[in-house]
Structures are given as structure tokens and as C-alpha cells.
Amino acid sequence: MSGPVQGFSKLSKEEKIQWVAQNYTHNPEQTTALLKKYWNTDTQLQKLHDEFIENTITNFYLPFGVAPNFQINGKRYTLPMAIEESSVVAAASKAAKFWLTRGGFRTRILGTEKVGQVHFLFKGEFDRLEQFFKSVKPRLISEATPITANMEKRGGGITQIELRDKSKELPDYYQLHCTFETLDAMGANFINSCLEQFAKTLKDAAQEFEAFSPEEKNLEVVMSILSNYVPNCVVRAEVSCPVSELNEDDGIAPETFAEKIIQAVRIAEIEPYRAVTHNKGIMNGIDSVVLATGNDFRAIEAGVHAYASRDGQYRSLTHAKVENDTFRLWIDVPLALGTVGGLTSLHPMVKLALEMLHHPKATDLMQIVAVAGLAQNFAALRSLVTTGIQRGHMKMHLLNILNQLGATEEEKLKMVDYFKTHTATHSAVVEAFQKLRAN
Ligand code: MEV
């Protein structure tokens, strides 16, 4: 193939499949059959999914699991989780059950501020730019009224517009740094629409500003876009209990267990190599609920990791301590989530997930998602400082290996039983399976 493929998006779904199968696979017939096998037989439902993105040729499944027994601020939840990693839902459920009898999870919203910026170039005197900004600020807000009116009726809208001088870092570069309250919406569309209007007003008003020189009047907007870094849209989730109640079934004294967890968290607070994996475990919980509830997990990931390095070094999102014989583990995490707009009223599984969570407001969902992250961190640390992670992981991964080996249901039962008392590694499973087949 040479040169770009023309008009690909205009081809029918069948034609696209044919093109992919013939150009990129060894067995076009098999490929076509596989792709079609994943189509939903309900044509309306399939059409809905086809139209989420461009060039859809089939669906890509992720398991949708549930983790029960979460008590959050005294209320019981079962968390919907969409994730492929075998041990995540089991770990979440285990942590939820552990804390259920120890007061459950408590959460608090620390802020809900969203951010967007207009990035522009200005060649001239900063004093005059400041003067201009002061005069144009009311107009920025008033000309955005058609966009903000509805949000304002509900109690949200633009909360601040600031002029920021970045010209020391990049010549002639300035920003309108804007903050918003977007209530139950994640707010990307609202914020981007406001910003694009600000940019237009800024350019028009600069042309009209008499104190500006001709060069200053030609203020140039580079781009207008929301920021996924939301250090003031943060939720805290925590668990705590008397150290003596940290009774473990892993043969370790509660005091030692508490100390080990605290040590593990300290390591993740000061050591970036460990912090990344520590936070990855937290994201196992966070992403799976974010995905199940139709939110943008890439935005969440980007924002969370930026927050984890806000002082210049990448650090743990969770913290732990013992004070007055009480063990406490908590997380502060930025989560710009929505429970209206986007996929929330479109994707049937997302609608179901939100229904399971009692139709949460965005701030409720922030708290639930933070809890999922904290639970996952507790479960990981608990395994890491006691039995090691592999025991649980391999137990969950066992079925994947058996499926790869083509085990029958009866063989699977026998193998699961066998590995209750044997250490499961990939080679041990293969060996045991071969023996079983040989008998
Ligand atoms: C695996 O997906 C996540 C863990 O590595 C997290 C951690 O080490 O804390 C178990």
C-alpha cells in the first residue's frame, strides 16, 4: 500500500472489515467471522455503539464486575467495575469486607474547581496588557452569557478569570487562567465553549483597545482548552480503626501489620519507582469505576499523576499513620467526574452502573471512586507486606492460564481445587495440567 487510503470513513462497515481483513490478516475469512461474532444481535444496540466513534468495525469486550460490601459514610454500595485485570475486583471486595466491620470508608470533598486556559501571545508592555485585561474582564463574562446562562441557573458557571504572565518562561506568552464550577457535568464541552468565546472576545477587544500600539492590538490566540490538571477538584477518602482491630488472618500481629503498611506507604512517598506502582494499584480501582460509569479515564489518569508530582517529585497518593493507637490510611485525589452528559445517558451499561450507585451527583461519584482507589491500595499493601502479591494474583490468573490451555469445565474445577494447597506459577499450572490430562 502506498499513499493514504481515500474515503475510508465513507465505506460501509462490511467494506471496512473486508479491507482490514484482506490487508492486515492472514486469514480474511476467519478475521471477518471473528469481528462479526462480537457484533450485538440487537441491531439498535449495535448501531448505538457503532456511532460512539468513527470507523467502528466491532465491539471490544471488557468484563463488567461488581464489588459488594462497600460502606461509604454509613451508606452501603456495590461498586461496578470494568476491568480486564484478574485480581482487581476480588481485591476490592476483600478490602470492602475488611473495612465494613471497622466503620467503613469516610470521605469528604475538598474542592470542585475545574480549570481551562486561553493561551495567547502578546508583543508589548505587560502594564498595558493588565490594564486591558481589567477593562475586558466584564465583557469576557457577559459575552459568554449565552453559554453560561443554564449552568448559572443551576448554581455553576465561571468562577474566576485571571491574567497570567508566562513570558519569563516563553517569550510573549500569557494566559487567561479560568476556573469553573460545572456541577454534575465533567464540563469539558462547557469549559471549551466558554474558552473559545473568551478567545474571540479577547481578540476583538484588543483590536478596539485604544491604549494598545498596532502590534499590541494584534494579540494572537494560540489555543483555548480545558486543563485536565485539577488540583482543586479533590476528594479525600479514609479508613481508620484501633490498631488492635487490625487483626489479620495472615499470622502477623496487628501492631506489626500497621507498622509494615506505614513503612510501605512511606517508601512510596519518597521513592518514585515504588510510588508509580503503588499509584498504579490505586488506579486499578479508580479507572475501573471511572470506566464503568462512562467517564474519561485518560483525563483522570493524566490529572492524577500530575497531582502526584505537584511538588516536583512523583509521590504516593495515599498516606498512613498511627496516632493514639488508631491506624489511619487516606487518599487525596483529584477527580473531575461527571454523572450527566457524555456517555452517561447513552450507554446502557453506564446507565445501569449509575443506577446501582443510587444515581450519584458528581460529588458523590468522586467519593465513591476515591474509595475504590483507597480500597485497592489497602488490598495491595496488605498482600505485599504479608503473603506477597503473587499468591492472590496467580489464584485469579489461574483461570486465564487454564483457558489458554483449553481446559474443560471439569478440568478447571480439579485444577482450582489442586491449587488451593499448591503455589500457582505459570509453569506449575502447565505441569499440573499436563499430568491431569495424562492420567
Ligand atoms: C498490580 O496491578 C498492582 C500492584 O502492583 C499495586 C502495588 O504494588 O501496590 C499490586
Side-chain angles (χ1 to χ4, degrees):
M1 241 181 291
S2 65
V5 185
Q6 303 290 356
F8 184 75
S9 66
K10 308 237 162 38
L11 299 181
S12 71
K13 196 155 97 172
E14 297 267 0
E15 288 166 334
K16 283 175 193 155
I17 287 181
Q18 229 177 48
W19 184 84
V20 170
Q22 275 165 7
N23 285 301
Y24 292 101
T25 69
H26 291 305
N27 190 333
E29 246 169 61
Q30 220 174 53
T31 303
T32 306
L34 176 70
L35 290 171
K36 289 189 174 179
K37 200 164 154 182
Y38 279 85
W39 285 3
N40 201 293
T41 48
D42 177 339
T43 49
Q44 273 309 101
L45 188 68
Q46 186 54 54
K47 192 164 180 297
L48 180 75
H49 286 266
D50 287 352
E51 290 175 1
F52 284 153
I53 62 167
E54 177 107 319
N55 295 343
T56 308
I57 53 175
T58 192
N59 306 305
F60 186 90
Y61 289 172
L62 273 186
F64 180 94
V66 291
N69 293 323
F70 275 89
Q71 181 151 307
I72 307 176
N73 302 331
K75 194 166 165 183
R76 201 64 81 80
Y77 291 90
T78 291
L79 303 197
M81 303 176 94
I83 185 145
E84 87 300 344
E85 190 174 325
S86 47
S87 54
V88 170
V89 176
S93 309
K94 209 172 157 199
K97 212 162 156 195
F98 182 95
W99 286 105
L100 183 63
T101 52
R102 293 166 178 84
F105 295 81
R106 286 180 314 283
T107 59
R108 181 153 63 94
I109 297 291
L110 304 180
T112 57
E113 181 186 279
K114 311 278 171 60
V115 180
Q117 297 170 318
V118 178
H119 306 269
F120 66 95
L121 301 178
F122 172 77
K123 288 187 199 327
E125 289 296 319
F126 183 60
D127 283 356
R128 268 203 298 283
L129 181 62
E130 258 188 322
Q131 200 191 331
F132 164 67
F133 174 67
K134 269 192 202 127
S135 77
V136 78
K137 198 170 162 182
R139 185 170 157 192
L140 289 171
I141 295 171
S142 66
E143 290 188 0
T145 311
I147 306 162
T148 56
N150 271 338
M151 188 65 91
E152 274 171 14
K153 255 189 237 151
R154 287 180 274 130
I158 305 159
T159 50
Q160 187 57 274
I161 308 178
E162 258 177 58
L163 171 68
R164 291 196 175 173
D165 180 358
K166 293 280 171 175
S167 62
K168 310 257 172 330
E169 290 131 90
L170 193 66
D172 308 328
Y173 169 42
Y174 300 87
Q175 301 169 344
L176 292 185
H177 183 92
C178 315
T179 54
F180 303 86
E181 170 54 62
T182 62
L183 305 169
D184 287 336
M186 188 251 190
N189 285 331
F190 172 74
I191 292 173
N192 288 332
S193 301
C194 287
L195 294 171
E196 288 185 5
Q197 178 57 53
F198 294 165
K200 185 172 181 308
T201 305
L202 194 72
K203 273 189 351 197
D204 293 350
Q207 286 291 337
E208 296 156 19
F209 193 62
E210 285 181 358
F212 273 170
S213 68
E215 196 174 32
E216 287 170 334
K217 283 186 180 186
N218 278 333
L219 166 161
E220 189 190 327
V221 171
V222 180
M223 59 190 161
S224 311
I225 187 75
L226 100 162
S227 172
N228 292 120
Y229 184 42
V230 282
N232 295 317
C233 183
V234 174
V235 53
R236 173 169 297 173
E238 65 177 83
V239 284
S240 65
C241 72
V243 171
S244 57
E245 286 179 18
L246 283 173
N247 58 319
E248 264 290 297
D249 47 14
D250 300 300
I252 166 172
E255 296 73 22
T256 318
F257 180 61
E259 265 167 38
K260 284 191 160 210
I261 296 250
I262 289 171
Q263 205 58 49
V265 173
R266 293 245 159 87
I267 291 170
E269 282 169 343
I270 60 110
E271 164 53 54
Y273 279 93
R274 172 57 200 151
V276 170
T277 313
H278 178 97
N279 290 348
K280 186 274 180 187
I282 293 170
M283 298 316 288
N284 280 342
I286 290 184
D287 281 341
S288 52
V289 182
V290 166
L291 204 51
T293 55
N295 275 276
D296 179 345
F297 65 93
R298 288 86 55 212
I300 296 298
E301 284 276 349
V304 167
H305 298 300
Y307 185 78
S309 37
R310 67 194 178 283
D311 72 359
Q313 187 188 311
Y314 191 89
R315 298 179 190 281
S316 165
L317 293 162
T318 55
H319 309 282
K321 66 176 173 191
V322 168
E323 226 170 43
N324 303 325
D325 291 327
T326 298
F327 169 82
R328 196 170 153 240
L329 177 72
W330 74 99
I331 185 170
D332 285 350
V333 64
L335 293 170
L337 296 170
T339 54
V340 298
L343 279 193
T344 54
S345 55
L346 270 181
H347 196 302
M349 293 306 295
V350 169
K351 281 203 269 186
L352 173 67
L354 290 170
E355 187 183 346
M356 278 177 57
L357 295 173
H358 318 297
H359 301 290
K361 293 190 296 210
T363 46
D364 298 328
L365 188 59
M366 281 170 77
Q367 299 178 68
I368 293 164
V369 169
V371 163
L374 184 66
Q376 213 64 41
N377 184 234
F378 176 75
L381 294 176
R382 186 184 183 191
S383 299
L384 285 168
V385 302
T386 57
T387 56
I389 209 78
Q390 276 312 86
R391 193 163 94 178
H393 266 204
M394 288 311 292
K395 204 161 108 192
M396 295 308 301
H397 193 52
L398 180 58
L399 284 180
N400 286 346
I401 303 175
L402 292 172
N403 282 335
Q404 271 166 20
L405 295 171
T408 63
E409 288 310 306
E410 198 190 334
E411 286 168 337
K412 282 186 207 170
L413 283 177
K414 282 191 182 151
M415 294 291 284
V416 168
D417 199 44
Y418 175 80
F419 279 104
K420 277 184 187 153
T421 51
H422 292 79
T423 307
T425 62
H426 191 274
S427 54
V429 176
V430 175
E431 199 179 310
F433 181 68
Q434 281 166 349
K435 265 196 199 143
L436 180 71
R437 281 249 163 130
N439 285 332

